[in-house]
Amino acid sequence: EPEVTQTPSHQVTQMGQEVILRCVPISNHLYFYWYRQILGQKVEFLVSFYNNEISEKSEIFDDQFSVERPDGSNFTLKIRSTKLEDSAMYFCASSERGAWGFADTQYFGPGTRLTVL
Amino acid sequence: AQTVTQSQPEMSVQEAETVTLSCTYDTSENNYYLFWYKQPPSRQMILVIRQEAYKQQNATENRFSVNFQKAAKSFSLKISDSQLGDTAMYFCAFEFSGNQFYFGTGTSLTVIP
């Protein structure tokens, strides 16, 4: 069964450094997402991406964050200058078009645990 | 604004028994999807079950079923014949535009042997 993959599984970085989290969505999916989950808290939406552009973003997704689909398979999240509070699990998800013309079920990757020291 | 509320932070159930997890949501939309995701200690988000709002029939997936009450904006998950592997955090989620999921705060379920 196709699945979303994410690399690395765990990333440790120093505060102020740039990190790139990578995701390979399911191949025929058209919608892509990033979420984050601070330990012990709920999953929070960061950004959605469709047709090579951002569809929606949350307040969390400020100028320090960017997303890119550099080729036909990868979907990346970049954090330019990491802060301590960016420490969290980051989930990528993808979805195909549903019955009403927009996205349907989102399938999540296993997550990347980001630790900022 | 869309909100999802899970009022039970923690629950426990004896192995082989049945447990129901509650979820309510608030929306003015008419067409949408509702989901339950399971997050075991590995923290992977695993889809448990999905419900389309236009369908009156409640979704079922093996031991998992939902009680969807659209007018009451309620979407509870029933787990029958609970197994030790069901121990996990369970998140209710709502989607209407394809742009994002709105998640509840989760219910931590422990299955007791």
Side-chain angles (χ1 to χ4, degrees):
Chain A
E1 186 175 326
E3 57 183 23
V4 178
T5 60
Q6 290 185 243
T7 54
S9 57
H10 188 196
Q11 173 102 40
V12 181
T13 189
Q14 294 290 325
M15 189 171 58
Q17 294 296 303
E18 174 183 287
V19 295
I20 297 176
L21 310 183
R22 304 180 192 279
C23 168
V24 179
I26 295 172
S27 62
N28 64 333
H29 285 187
L30 302 175
Y31 301 83
F32 313 111
Y33 311 84
W34 284 100
Y35 292 83
R36 81 171 186 191
Q37 184 185 31
I38 295 170
L39 187 63
Q41 299 186 21
K42 71 175 180 180
V43 179
E44 301 174 290
F45 169 75
L46 292 177
V47 66
S48 59
F49 192 87
Y50 170 70
N51 201 25
N52 285 320
E53 60 182 22
I54 291 174
S55 311
E56 189 168 332
K57 59 184 181 179
S58 71
E59 293 176 352
I60 303 168
F61 195 87
D62 61 22
D63 292 344
Q64 292 300 311
F65 292 88
S66 63
V67 289
E68 193 177 33
R69 188 155 161 81
D71 52 41
S73 59
N74 290 285
F75 180 52
T76 62
L77 173 70
K78 182 194 290 186
I79 309 175
R80 288 188 182 80
S81 179
T82 49
K83 303 187 284 284
L84 295 176
E85 53 265 39
D86 292 328
S87 292
M89 188 74 122
Y90 287 81
F91 292 102
C92 173
S94 71
S95 176
E96 59 185 342
R97 189 183 298 277
W100 303 315
F102 57 83
D104 199 326
T105 304
Q106 294 183 21
Y107 293 90
F108 285 76
T112 292
R113 184 154 65 100
L114 177 65
T115 302
V116 182
L117 302 175
Chain B
Q2 332 298 323
T3 59
V4 178
T5 302
Q6 293 179 251
S7 58
Q8 306 152 313
E10 295 180 0
M11 294 192 72
S12 60
V13 62
Q14 289 291 137
E15 193 175 6
E17 296 294 307
T18 296
V19 64
T20 298
L21 309 184
S22 300
C23 173
T24 58
Y25 59 95
D26 190 23
T27 184
S28 58
E29 300 293 329
N30 191 46
N31 292 323
Y32 50 87
Y33 296 106
L34 293 160
F35 304 85
W36 280 97
Y37 281 85
K38 168 185 176 181
Q39 188 179 46
S42 67
R43 298 189 72 184
Q44 171 107 34
M45 293 289 285
I46 302 166
L47 176 67
V48 175
I49 201 164
R50 166 184 174 275
Q51 175 80 43
E52 293 147 317
Y54 69 89
K55 288 188 176 177
Q56 292 187 340
Q57 186 173 7
N58 290 323
T60 62
E61 286 287 342
N62 302 313
R63 298 182 295 107
F64 299 88
S65 62
V66 298
N67 183 5
F68 173 50
Q69 302 288 329
K70 190 173 184 180
K73 296 179 182 174
S74 169
F75 182 61
S76 60
L77 174 70
K78 185 170 83 171
I79 306 174
S80 304
D81 185 25
S82 297
Q83 300 175 358
L84 297 179
D86 295 334
T87 292
M89 194 73 148
Y90 287 81
F91 291 98
C92 177
F94 168 93
E95 178 196 33
F96 74 96
S97 68
N99 280 328
Q100 64 167 291
F101 273 16
Y102 297 86
F103 283 92
T105 50
T107 295
S108 177
L109 176 68
T110 301
V111 179
I112 303 165

